[in-house]
Amino acid sequence: IMKTHTSHPDIIKRLRRAYGHLNKIIQMVEEERPCIEVAQQLQAVVNALASAKQLFVQDHIEHCLDESISGNSQKAKEMIVEFKELTKYL
């Protein structure tokens, strides 16, 4: 079970903003707005998601991984496995 970290509300806010922005882009495509405008807005959403992902992964490393390594060895091993799996998404 994932514990809520202090950065999670910020991550949620970023994701909701990107979600709203993406809905606007869909509307732009439906309205046949110029391709350059749509492409610029798509890049803004991609950047916002990348930023949220980076913050989420960093938070996990700083809190979950650090806590587990200082704890018992079995928990540390499990967290190392999880960390390795998580790094696939960087």
Side-chain angles (χ1 to χ4, degrees):
I1 296 174
M2 186 171 70
K3 295 183 281 184
T4 301
H5 299 275
T6 56
S7 68
H8 286 189
D10 184 42
I11 293 167
I12 291 168
K13 185 174 19 170
R14 290 175 189 222
L15 292 173
R16 285 191 175 133
R17 191 176 317 127
Y19 179 75
H21 200 160
L22 188 55
N23 281 330
K24 291 288 187 185
I25 295 169
I26 292 168
Q27 191 175 35
M28 290 174 71
V29 172
E30 290 172 343
E31 295 170 355
E32 298 183 8
R33 298 278 295 272
C35 292
I36 189 73
E37 289 180 23
V38 174
Q40 288 170 336
Q41 297 306 312
L42 282 169
Q43 187 60 45
V45 169
V46 167
N47 291 343
L49 290 174
S51 175
K53 177 182 75 171
Q54 183 179 18
L55 180 60
F56 186 83
V57 171
Q58 286 174 343
D59 181 71
H60 181 75
I61 291 168
E62 290 172 8
H63 294 97
C64 299
L65 192 60
D66 284 348
E67 284 178 20
S68 69
I69 289 174
S70 65
N72 69 52
S73 63
Q74 181 58 35
K75 174 101 172 143
K77 288 176 187 176
E78 291 171 4
M79 289 306 294
I80 295 293
V81 169
E82 183 178 339
F83 175 69
K84 288 178 182 178
E85 187 69 23
L86 190 62
T87 60
K88 293 177 184 179
Y89 302 104
L90 294 176

